[in-house]
Amino acid sequence: MSFISAQNLSLGYDRTVVVENLNFVVEKGNYLCIVGENGSGKTTLMRTMLGLQSPIDGQILFGDGLKKNEIGYLPQQTVVQRDFPASVYEIVLSGCQSHMGLRPFYTEKEKALARKNMERMDIADLKNRCYRELSGGQQQRVLLARALCATTKVLLLDEPVSGLDPKVTYEMYELIKELNDSDVTIIMVSHDITAAVKYASHILHVGKTLYFGTKDEYISSNVGKFFMNMEGGEPA
Ligand SMILES: Nc1ncnc2c1ncn2[C@@H]1O[C@H](COP(=O)(O)OP(=O)(O)OP(=O)(O)O)[C@@H](O)[C@H]1O
Ligand SMILES: [Mg+2]
């Protein structure tokens, strides 16, 4: 059975349907890029995969040894979150909360994991700095280290490069590629079709047109050709 499979999934809020009849699978080690216009339901899909909201119809199944609480999440950043008044270490450590249950303190093992992931993301020297004083690229590394404290199986990344300059964007993509090369399954929302096509193994396109397939299938599909020509823009 696949790591994650979505079957006839319809998503939305109250009775408003945002996406209908979504079908896709994610296998262990895949790098899935989710692309689509603003408001097409990408973040809603991520939240549904995390169990933060229920589908209107259909289901998401986990298999191949993956459990619901073994998914790390880097949320789409809002202005308020960028201003969060906590230290880098506190934020990274809070990634361990998904396996703490009701225990109100962190164990030595969890603290060691937080330190290891800060080193892995090259932010160990920022440990005691306040998160809101960091640059956008540094903040995204902090959030990646946090997500890695939750799991090394699957990471859901919602626009991890938005607002970053080209150099830091490139570094971030390379960092995510390294994680994928070390067997972390990646599911990433992005507006950057060029990067999606460069890095991903599979593409899921949501919006008026739905598409799921391998990167190569997407490149040669009509929908892929159309959106690659638009360079990630919206259809006329
Ligand atoms: N909490 C909510 N309650 C009601 N409607 C919502 C809620 N959150 C999002 N929506 C609506 O659902 C639709 C999909 O939103 P979503 O945030 O999933 O889009 P998105 O594809 O992530 O967009 P973007 O590229 O701008 O991040 C939008 O029309 C949005 O207005
Ligand atoms: Mg979104």
Side-chain angles (χ1 to χ4, degrees), residues 178-228:
E178 272 170 38
L179 291 173
N180 184 238
D181 289 344
S182 69
D183 222 22
V184 181
T185 302
I186 302 289
I187 301 178
M188 180 169 90
V189 170
S190 174
H191 284 287
D192 183 349
I193 299 228
T194 311
V197 161
K198 178 173 171 197
Y199 291 99
S201 63
H202 293 75
I203 309 259
L204 173 66
H205 193 117
V206 291
K208 283 177 211 118
T209 327
L210 293 180
Y211 187 91
F212 172 70
T214 64
K215 181 230 315 253
D216 292 337
E217 285 165 353
Y218 183 75
I219 291 172
S220 52
S221 72
N222 287 337
V223 58
K225 282 180 193 150
F226 180 81
F227 280 97
M228 283 187 300

Side-chain angles (χ1 to χ4, degrees), residues 72-93:
Y73 182 41
L74 188 154
Q76 185 170 10
Q77 285 232 58
T78 62
V79 175
V80 175
Q81 284 155 350
R82 285 194 203 283
D83 234 6
F84 202 67
S87 75
V88 166
Y89 179 57
E90 285 168 323
I91 289 183
V92 174
L93 196 54

Side-chain angles (χ1 to χ4, degrees), residues 107-132:
T107 61
E108 284 308 315
K109 209 173 141 194
E110 286 163 345
K111 290 177 189 169
L113 180 65
R115 285 193 295 270
K116 188 185 115 191
N117 285 326
M118 285 192 294
E119 270 160 35
R120 195 171 181 186
M121 293 299 113
D122 205 16
I123 50 167
D125 54 333
L126 302 176
K127 183 172 180 254
N128 298 316
R129 290 274 300 275
C130 188
Y131 177 78
R132 65 179 169 204

Side-chain angles (χ1 to χ4, degrees), residues 10-20 53-57:
S10 293
L11 310 174
Y13 299 88
D14 298 323
R15 262 165 229 94
T16 316
V17 176
V18 176
V19 194
E20 241 175 334
Q53 68 185 78
S54 308
I56 291 181
D57 203 1

Side-chain angles (χ1 to χ4, degrees), residues 30 34 40 77 97 116-117 140 150 196:
N30 281 176
I34 304 175
S40 57
Q77 285 232 58
Q97 277 172 3
K116 188 185 115 191
N117 285 326
Q140 292 302 73

